[in-house]
Amino acid sequence: MQCNDSELISLFIGKTWGKIVVTDNWIIRCGLYVVSAAYQPDVHMYIQSTNSYLDPESRLTSQYINIRVSSINSACSDFQIRLNSSDYNDLSNKVSGPILNVKNVVFQQSISDQFEEAFREEVTQNGLYLTDRPREECIGCLHAVSDVKLSKLCDEASAGGCKNCLCRPMWCMELFNYN
């Protein structure tokens, strides 16, 4: 195998799946009992599936993507790599070819994607808030007029010192259209 000092090596570590090392030329999976390697120009990569896990302590969901690495070189066996969905962009930027999603597998690529989905879902479930006051710029994107008001809803007015929010609308749905 060729490995020059000038090559940047990226590591993606999984607890049970071992390590994934991606260099400018090679994709290497180091498992417990096997090492699989494929030369990047000879590789086709396909997203196979995803798995999501809820951490009971942090109450955060982790999503893992299973990717099949297939080489056109018959001397190399196909192998599968598994990585956290938040590492997907790093991997796709490092590999020389595309990672195909022929099964249209849906996955969250970042924590901001997860926030966007939760935000949109909450906004669509809530009712309209009407106001006569002039609306200001959205504090999230600073481009659009605010059209979302965040409200703290209390079951009982005295429960745990909870008070209803009298804030004006400060957010917008356009927030997620700006990059």
Side-chain angles (χ1 to χ4, degrees):
M1 274 192 215
Q2 170 188 353
C3 186
N4 298 326
D5 292 338
S6 64
E7 292 183 34
L8 178 66
I9 297 175
S10 302
L11 295 174
F12 303 93
I13 301 169
K15 291 180 182 177
T16 57
W17 281 72
K19 293 183 180 181
I20 302 163
V21 180
V22 181
T23 69
D24 290 340
N25 295 314
W26 295 93
I27 300 171
I28 306 164
R29 179 178 169 254
C30 304
L32 192 57
Y33 299 110
V34 68
V35 174
S36 303
Y39 186 57
Q40 276 205 45
D42 296 345
V43 162
H44 297 285
M45 298 176 73
Y46 305 94
I47 297 173
Q48 296 291 302
S49 62
T50 61
N51 304 102
S52 296
Y53 301 97
L54 178 65
D55 182 356
E57 292 178 14
S58 67
R59 300 196 57 163
L60 294 174
T61 302
S62 294
Q63 188 179 47
Y64 291 88
I65 303 172
N66 302 307
I67 300 173
R68 164 119 357 249
V69 179
S70 300
S71 178
I72 59 173
N73 184 344
S74 60
C76 293
S77 298
D78 293 357
F79 59 95
Q80 189 164 324
I81 59 175
R82 176 181 163 107
L83 69 144
N84 194 307
S85 61
S86 61
D87 294 327
Y88 176 80
N89 285 337
D90 292 336
L91 176 67
S92 65
N93 291 336
K94 186 66 181 163
V95 296
S96 56
I99 302 174
L100 303 174
N101 190 355
V102 294
K103 294 182 178 181
N104 293 323
V105 175
V106 178
F107 59 93
Q108 300 293 334
Q109 294 186 16
S110 67
I111 197 79
S112 59
D113 288 342
Q114 293 174 21
F115 172 77
E116 178 182 346
E117 183 179 326
F119 187 84
R120 285 184 186 279
E121 188 175 304
E122 279 300 314
V123 168
T124 56
Q125 289 178 2
N126 292 319
L128 293 176
Y129 174 80
L130 302 174
T131 182
D132 294 333
R133 291 195 255 174
R135 296 183 303 171
E136 300 172 19
E137 284 184 333
C138 169
I139 64 171
C141 71
L142 299 175
H143 293 285
V145 175
S146 59
D147 60 0
V148 176
K149 178 184 185 316
L150 301 181
S151 295
K152 183 176 182 181
L153 302 176
C154 304
D155 292 335
E156 298 176 19
S158 61
C162 180
K163 296 178 185 172
N164 286 327
C165 178
L166 300 175
C167 301
R168 63 190 184 279
M170 296 170 38
W171 297 90
C172 67
M173 291 304 293
E174 294 296 316
L175 170 67
F176 305 109
N177 295 331
Y178 292 95
N179 292 327

